[in-house]
Amino acid sequence: MTIGRLIAAALMGITAGVALPPPSAQADTLRIVRSGTDSVLSVPMNRAVVVESDIPFAELSIANPAIADISSLSDRSIYVLGKSPGTTTLTILDGQGQLITNVDVRVAADVAEFKERLGQILPGETIEVRTANDGIVLSGVVSSTLKMERALELAQRYAPERVSNLMSVGGVQQVMLKVRFAEMQRSVAKSLRASIAANGTALGGTLDLGTGNAAGSLATPTPSGGDIEGGVLFGFDAGGLEVGILLEALESKGVVRTLAEPNLTALSGQEAKFLAGGEYPVPVAQTDDTTTVEFKPFGVELNFIPRVVDGDLINLELKAAVSSIDTNNGIDIGDIRIDGFRRRETSTTVEMRDGESFAIAGLLQDDFRDVSGQVPWLGDIPILGALFRSADYAREQSELVIIVTPHLVTPTRGEALALPTDRVVPPTERDLFLYGRVSGGSSAPTRGAAGEVARQDFSGSYGYVMD
């Protein structure tokens, strides 16, 4: 029994020795010496700084040599050169390989030189310059959009594609554009015609001949035909022959004046549109044999985009047009009459200061027409040949001028503005029927700028007077 127990105990010991795991390894065989850094070193790009250590060191290491380059000047001095924007770590070890310290090296654009150049190029502007990560942040208030663009362009040279703009533009940034459209049309037409007719018997035969309108006017003492204007008929009898001479002389003159003066206000950089006129319906045939109606605008049109460039210097991108319906030029499609349009337009970009004016468009059109007709051979006879000739003369002139004037404006309080209807109230029945008044008492304001306007005397001619 004793030997069996000993053998069983031995087998159990062997099994236990095989099943038990080996002793665990030490947990501190891999240990982080130090996490984080003790200090931060800022180095301008393409510049170098010298760093001194209080403890002598034996070894230096830089995590990313593409950001910064290092070299030792002595066992206590380190030369650090900034190469490209970014952040890396500088590690310093002593002679026994022990860590002395970790330093964060941050390389950024050279804002010191940038600030100096910015002050030279844009003196007097309150622009703040900061670095963020590997870029430049600009903030503050500038006096114009042009100076803000110059500051951003300069910053791009120091930190390409890494410039953040937090600047705002101060000053007046709203522009009122005053546009004057003036068009004058003049027309002169003159015509001189002579006609002769003879009717009766001559040389034993019947004679019936005539030229022009006189042939149909012998029976009447004065011309009455629908196409005879300014005509005088002379007639006489020579035996059995009746002779008539018709002289037509006509002169017509016409003058048309068109004037529009729209005012429109817009924020700098924003588009403003203006239309004073209407829309003309135009039928449009579709591919599915249906007809739709499109409306074509006409009248005085104005589109512009103002940009306050520098102080009171204003850049204007302008489109202006004057159009009207022309009933003389049109087409007939079945029972539908579609009139044509007369349109004069201009598109331009100009720069001017507050209150200055430009004549951006001037069109002078001069049409001349001269027509002469005569009866062959008879019109060439001296003196009497004038009875067989006719002449028409027509001349048309039109002149269009567009003048623009921008103004920098600021909003005001509503009670300071006056309307054309402020001083007019509907009449009472007593005023209308008893006294013949077309308006009642005045409701004009008495205070402020509107009151000053209301006190002015408008009893004479005012507004646009057409002479």
Side-chain angles (χ1 to χ4, degrees), residues 76-145:
R76 293 177 182 268
S77 301
I78 307 171
Y79 181 87
V80 182
L81 172 65
K83 299 175 65 177
S84 62
T87 302
T88 187
T89 303
L90 170 64
T91 302
I92 305 176
L93 304 175
D94 60 12
Q96 288 75 34
Q98 299 295 321
L99 177 67
I100 297 177
T101 185
N102 286 326
V103 179
D104 269 347
V105 180
R106 297 181 179 176
V107 180
D110 188 4
V111 295
E113 181 184 358
F114 173 61
K115 289 180 180 179
E116 181 181 355
R117 295 292 181 267
L118 195 62
Q120 294 174 353
I121 297 175
L122 301 175
E125 299 293 333
T126 57
I127 302 177
E128 299 180 0
V129 182
R130 298 181 178 88
T131 58
N133 197 4
D134 58 347
I136 295 177
V137 179
L138 301 180
S139 61
V141 180
V142 294
S143 59
S144 66
T145 306

Side-chain angles (χ1 to χ4, degrees), residues 180-198:
R180 286 173 286 175
F181 296 85
E183 183 178 13
M184 181 68 73
Q185 299 179 14
R186 297 175 292 269
S187 62
V188 177
K190 298 179 181 180
S191 64
L192 178 62
R193 300 177 184 177
S195 304
I196 187 171

Side-chain angles (χ1 to χ4, degrees), residues 429-444:
E429 294 183 357
R430 178 180 177 181
D431 292 334
L432 180 60
F433 295 107
L434 187 60
Y435 299 105
R437 298 172 182 171
V438 295
S439 63
S442 174
S443 60

